[in-house]
Amino acid sequence: MTLSRVAMVGAVLLGVVAGTPLAAAQSVPVTPSAPVTPPPGPPVEPMPMPTVVPGAPLSSDVPALLRSAPVVETVPAAEAAPEPTAPATPPACVPWKVSTVADGFGVLENLAFDGDGTMLLSESIPFGDGAIRTLTPSGEAGTLVSDVQSPGGIVVDGDRVVFTTGNNVMAGLWGSANGTVDAVDRDGGNHTTLTEGLSMPNGLALLDSGDLLVTHAFGDEPGLTRISASDPTSAATVRTDVGSANGLFSTPTSVYVGNTVDRSTEVHVLDAGDLTGEVTTLTLPGGGAANAGDDLTVDADGLVYIALNGAGKVVRVDPATGDTCEIATDLPMTSSVRFGSGTGWDSTSLYATSFAGTVHRLTPPGN
């Protein structure tokens, strides 16, 4: 659904800034092509969207995110590990251990691993230029590329790092098409722009074909866009029926799209070979604006992990049953989650970024 610009500003303030708690974990059935109907119980009224006048100052509750140089806490390096793994049997709903890897950054929107021991972070600074930052397992922070406006999703494609820019809420609300998809060599050289003319490109995923997918949460046509590997200067809308599309993750067989400020929090599962075909929709507990779903990832067993920015939680969803589990709470403004990859990063742990400039590690029970 497409929200009015005024309603979307209110939803963003309500879901992202207020951080209203998420409802307790519960089982939710899966229904193809339509949101899932929760088990019988008292009806839950949709959370009203506050009215915000365009041009009015933002709430004083918005945290000051302009930070000084990062101060990192050294985390012992883990042994090198292959691709992310998870137990063959879905674990019980037990909270994961949360620890701080680093803090002191600006607004962190997304993360990725280059596979060689470096974490990549998209960082924005209010009233300043953003950057793609680097972090080593020993806690050393650096910069891959600077002078980047509002970077969003990040993927590693061979010897280059690909990321979105212009991931700014106001740009999305007012239909500004100043967003791009950029690429830079993994050593920081050869920074180029692949695609221009996008409206608030947020999530980013790389398909096996080499094509890129981008989500747009706001604007006149929120949804999913495809960028051809053979002609990255052109972008084509794939679908606009996945709500305020935000989180994005792809596997060889499926593409997962999460929404952010609709009435309910949903994850739409698409066939990677037929992105315009049938959709399976998973619905999470809690109001959509209060949850403010953000980026997501999928483990080797197909379990989905989604960051709830407003609720300050990370929730696991089993697509086969619809069961959900809050694996971590009290994580204000969590924006993205990824399993560790490469030397020094634990492949069974999730690493999470936040708008508060912190990187957390979520370690599963028994590790």
Side-chain angles (χ1 to χ4, degrees):
M1 59 182 285
T2 301
L3 303 176
S4 69
R5 291 190 172 97
V6 170
M8 285 188 287
V9 175
V12 172
L13 293 177
L14 176 64
V16 177
V17 177
T20 306
L22 173 68
Q26 56 184 286
S27 298
V28 182
V30 179
T31 303
S33 305
V36 179
T37 302
V44 179
E45 294 297 328
M47 181 168 292
M49 301 293 186
T51 300
V52 178
V53 179
L58 293 177
S59 167
S60 59
D61 293 334
V62 178
L65 295 174
L66 182 56
R67 305 293 186 107
S68 57
V71 178
V72 294
E73 174 185 338
T74 302
V75 175
E79 295 184 0
E83 293 301 315
T85 58
T89 301
C93 188
V94 178
W96 294 26
K97 177 183 177 182
V98 178
S99 58
T100 299
V101 177
D103 60 15
F105 291 97
V107 182
L108 295 180
E109 173 66 30
N110 214 297
L111 79 154
F113 292 91
D114 70 359
D116 290 333
T118 299
M119 178 188 290
L120 303 166
L121 303 163
S122 53
E123 178 191 53
S124 293
I125 299 292
F127 313 112
D129 292 331
I132 301 299
R133 305 277 275 149
T134 61
L135 186 67
T136 67
S138 63
E140 182 180 354
T143 301
L144 179 68
V145 58
S146 57
D147 299 326
V148 177
Q149 293 296 321
S150 302
I154 312 173
V155 297
V156 176
D157 180 15
D159 292 330
R160 65 180 185 172
V161 176
V162 184
F163 55 95
T164 64
T165 77
N167 180 39
N168 179 281
V169 172
M170 295 311 298
L173 291 176
W174 302 114
S176 174
N178 63 344
T180 69
V181 173
D182 286 13
V184 64
D185 291 345
R186 285 168 58 178
D187 62 3
N190 194 30
H191 180 191
T192 59
T193 295
L194 304 177
T195 312
E196 297 180 305
L198 303 175
S199 179
M200 194 189 169
N202 192 332
L204 183 66
L206 178 67
L207 298 176
D208 282 358
S209 64
D211 290 358
L212 294 166
L213 293 176
V214 177
T215 55
H216 310 267
F218 304 118
D220 294 331
E221 274 195 330
L224 188 64
T225 293
R226 185 169 190 156
I227 299 171
S228 171
S230 60
D231 182 16
T233 61
S234 63
T237 300
V238 175
R239 59 194 316 154
T240 58
D241 59 349
V242 288
S244 52
N246 188 322
L248 183 63
F249 191 82
S250 65
T251 70
T253 59
S254 301
V255 171
Y256 300 79
V257 183
N259 67 353
T260 187
V261 292
D262 298 315
R263 288 178 180 270
S264 60
T265 301
E266 299 171 343
V267 176
H268 304 281
V269 186
L270 315 179
D271 183 342
D274 182 13
L275 294 176
T276 61
E278 183 179 358
V279 179
T280 297
T281 298
L282 312 171
T283 302
L284 279 66
N291 283 341
D294 213 317
D295 202 26
L296 51 83
T297 194
V298 180
D299 70 15
D301 289 333
L303 300 178
V304 179
Y305 299 77
I306 182 170
L308 301 184
N309 195 305
K313 299 178 180 182
V314 175
V315 176
R316 183 181 68 218
V317 187
D318 185 347
T321 63
D323 291 344
T324 64
C325 173
E326 295 177 2
I327 66 168
T329 59
D330 298 322
L331 294 174
M333 297 178 287
T334 297
S335 53
S336 184
V337 285
R338 289 288 185 271
F339 282 97
S341 177
T343 303
W345 303 101
D346 180 17
S347 65
T348 66
S349 292
L350 280 171
Y351 294 86
T353 54
S354 81
F355 286 178
T358 304
V359 179
H360 288 109
R361 174 181 173 181
L362 281 56
T363 305
N367 282 33

